[in-house]
Amino acid sequence: MKVETIKQNYSAQRLPLNSRNSGGTPNFTGMNINKEIMEQLPNKTAIKVMEKFKWLKGELGGILITALGTGAVAPIFIAYNPFVKAPKDATKEQKEDVENTKKYTAMRQPVSAVLAVLIQTSILKPIDKGLEILFNNPKYAKNLWISLDQSTLSKQSYVEKQVKKEMKKEGLKFENKEAFKQELDKRVNEKLQMQIGQTAENLRQTGKIKIGERIVENKTTAEIVNDTIDSYIEDAKNLKTSDEGLKFYKQRAQILVENEDVFKELFKELPESGNEIAEKLKKASLNTDNQDVKTILEEIINAPENLRASRCQRTLERIETVRKACNGNFTPENYLKAMQATNKELDKIIANLEASKIKDVNSATENTIKSTINKVAEFCHYDNTNFRLDKKFQETATFQTNVEDLMKKIYKDITKGYKKVIEKRYKGFNQISKIAIGLCITLPITCTALNWVYPRFMDLCFPKLSGKKKDDAQKVKNGGDD
């Protein structure tokens, strides 16, 4: 629901985000290129390494990190605790006993950590699998709370398991794992989109979100509608050009238009290689005294190699865009007025969307929900004959020219919003369930196992600390067991 395409600018990323887009205002560059941005970062290697440890954010990572602290760090402080020591008048043997006792106690921590990892990780997957089946399988979910029912808008991992079973039954063969993954992802996405589409269409027809045979209360649906409107308002705000941006784009437009002939000549016949383009532009920069032209050329030269040709082409396109925004009569002042006029139209859209929100969600009806969505569609629809708005909105999904497509999108956005709400609720329930299971089942099992394993482990591996040798020697001295 956020603006789909974010463009980089020839501003060398000095402008704030909300000043980089402007309707009828050129975004003096290319494309959405996350990978290219990553490659330009100075610490890209460190970032890539950290990306590999993302899995530590999950529950398994939490268990392992806690176990590492318990098993590797805590024993040091226990074994060498300066506050636990023998009395001043203690014998050498007594002092040694105190030190051994501290070390014996410290060794309990790594044993405890190992058992915790083994027991806790062994039950994580079964719990997740069991809860997933309960809340995604219609047979069971219909008997549980509707606020957690995912049978109609299923969890992706659950759908993946179902699709894998279907593909196995079909006896499909694939050349490699990648081909299998592509087919799996395609089918899973189709199934998820079908669920969203069907739920959204039912919402459009009835004004209600239907989960299985049950209906979500209107209050919840109304809240989701308001949240969706808020996201559209945020999109509109992001399309506005800030005061800093107005100043920048006014100056940049003047540079482009006044040097149009220079740029047309330079970009007329470009080499295919990005490096060759850079060399050509470097020579041109050295041969001109025009500082404005130098600035534009340097920005293109410093762009990623595979984007230099595109930036040259788009520079010419932006010159034409600037002229059209001024209705063919370009002056810096006229262009500034065009940008300000676009901002005012966006302010009007924002105000209309804000006013369309459902004021009293507690008393919202199906008709209230449907009429509100109709208003939102009216405010997000625009006429593509308006050049400035068309340039502003043409690469967004929030604002469209086709009313029917726009209505479908809004209903799908609301459905997706409700799915996110269910996922958040389920995540919370899942965590609370695991805590409860941990306290009632896992913790007693772990403690019992620790009490049995620990003394035997110490007797076997550290008999001196456990006192086993001393006990054995005492038995021999006393003539052994009866």
Side-chain angles (χ1 to χ4, degrees), residues 324-340:
K324 285 185 178 180
C326 298
N327 296 318
N329 182 26
F330 172 78
T331 66
E333 290 70 28
N334 285 346
Y335 188 57
L336 177 62
K337 289 177 182 177
M339 290 190 290
Q340 290 171 333

Side-chain angles (χ1 to χ4, degrees), residues 398-428:
T398 300
F399 303 96
Q400 299 184 21
T401 58
N402 187 298
V403 178
E404 180 62 21
D405 290 344
L406 185 56
M407 289 290 289
K408 288 180 180 178
K409 178 192 179 296
I410 294 171
Y411 279 104
K412 283 185 178 181
D413 284 345
I414 294 168
T415 303
K416 291 174 184 176
Y418 180 70
K419 183 174 182 178
K420 286 181 180 178
V421 168
I422 299 176
E423 288 172 349
K424 286 181 180 179
R425 290 173 180 168
Y426 175 79
K427 185 177 181 181

Side-chain angles (χ1 to χ4, degrees), residues 126-172:
I127 292 174
D128 281 331
K129 187 175 180 181
L131 290 176
E132 191 175 85
I133 292 173
L134 279 176
F135 290 100
N136 284 268
N137 189 320
K139 180 180 177 181
Y140 307 115
K142 66 181 181 180
N143 299 315
L144 301 171
W145 307 281
I146 187 173
S147 59
L148 295 172
D149 189 343
Q150 295 177 299
S151 59
T152 297
L153 298 169
S154 301
K155 194 176 179 183
Q156 182 170 334
S157 57
Y158 179 79
V159 175
E160 283 182 1
K161 292 183 180 71
Q162 301 304 112
V163 172
K164 283 180 181 178
K165 290 179 182 178
E166 293 171 4
M167 292 171 68
K168 188 175 181 180
K169 285 182 179 179
E170 293 175 23
L172 299 177

Side-chain angles (χ1 to χ4, degrees), residues 41-203:
L41 294 175
N43 299 319
K44 64 180 181 180
T45 303
I47 293 172
K48 287 178 180 178
V49 170
M50 287 189 288
E51 278 288 308
K52 293 180 180 179
F53 290 94
K54 274 201 313 184
W55 60 274
L56 285 173
K57 292 195 303 181
E59 290 177 88
L60 178 60
I63 291 172
L64 293 177
I65 292 171
T66 301
L68 181 64
T70 302
V73 180
I76 297 172
F77 294 94
I78 296 172
Y80 300 100
N81 187 347
F83 300 105
V84 178
K85 52 188 176 182
K88 291 182 180 180
D89 57 349
T91 64
K92 182 180 178 181
E93 187 179 51
Q94 288 174 325
K95 290 180 179 180
E96 186 178 336
D97 282 343
V98 170
E99 292 301 314
N100 286 344
T101 299
K102 289 197 292 183
K103 291 175 182 177
Y104 181 87
T105 306
M107 287 303 298
R108 187 180 180 90
Q109 302 305 306
V111 176
S112 173
V114 170
L115 288 174
V117 170
L118 291 175
I119 294 173
Q120 290 182 36
T121 55
S122 66
I123 68 168
L124 277 180
K125 193 170 183 180
I127 292 174
D128 281 331
K129 187 175 180 181
L131 290 176
E132 191 175 85
I133 292 173
L134 279 176
F135 290 100
N136 284 268
N137 189 320
K139 180 180 177 181
Y140 307 115
K142 66 181 181 180
N143 299 315
L144 301 171
W145 307 281
I146 187 173
S147 59
L148 295 172
D149 189 343
Q150 295 177 299
S151 59
T152 297
L153 298 169
S154 301
K155 194 176 179 183
Q156 182 170 334
S157 57
Y158 179 79
V159 175
E160 283 182 1
K161 292 183 180 71
Q162 301 304 112
V163 172
K164 283 180 181 178
K165 290 179 182 178
E166 293 171 4
M167 292 171 68
K168 188 175 181 180
K169 285 182 179 179
E170 293 175 23
L172 299 177
K173 302 293 182 182
F174 298 92
E175 295 179 0
N176 48 49
K177 289 183 178 180
E178 185 179 346
F180 169 78
K181 186 73 166 56
Q182 287 178 350
E183 179 64 19
L184 174 65
D185 290 345
K186 176 188 171 186
R187 293 190 179 205
V188 168
N189 184 61
E190 287 175 352
K191 204 158 191 172
L192 292 173
Q193 292 304 316
M194 180 187 71
Q195 289 182 345
I196 290 171
Q198 291 176 345
T199 306
E201 182 57 31
N202 186 73
L203 173 61

Side-chain angles (χ1 to χ4, degrees), residues 222-257:
E223 288 172 347
I224 303 297
V225 170
N226 283 349
D227 288 342
T228 305
I229 294 172
D230 281 335
S231 73
Y232 294 166
I233 290 172
E234 190 63 27
D235 288 344
K237 288 179 178 178
N238 287 335
L239 289 173
K240 287 187 62 179
T241 308
S242 68
D243 291 340
E244 183 184 355
L246 292 173
K247 180 180 178 182
F248 172 83
Y249 288 122
K250 175 185 174 184
Q251 294 172 345
R252 182 53 61 93
Q254 184 174 3
I255 291 172
L256 292 177
V257 174

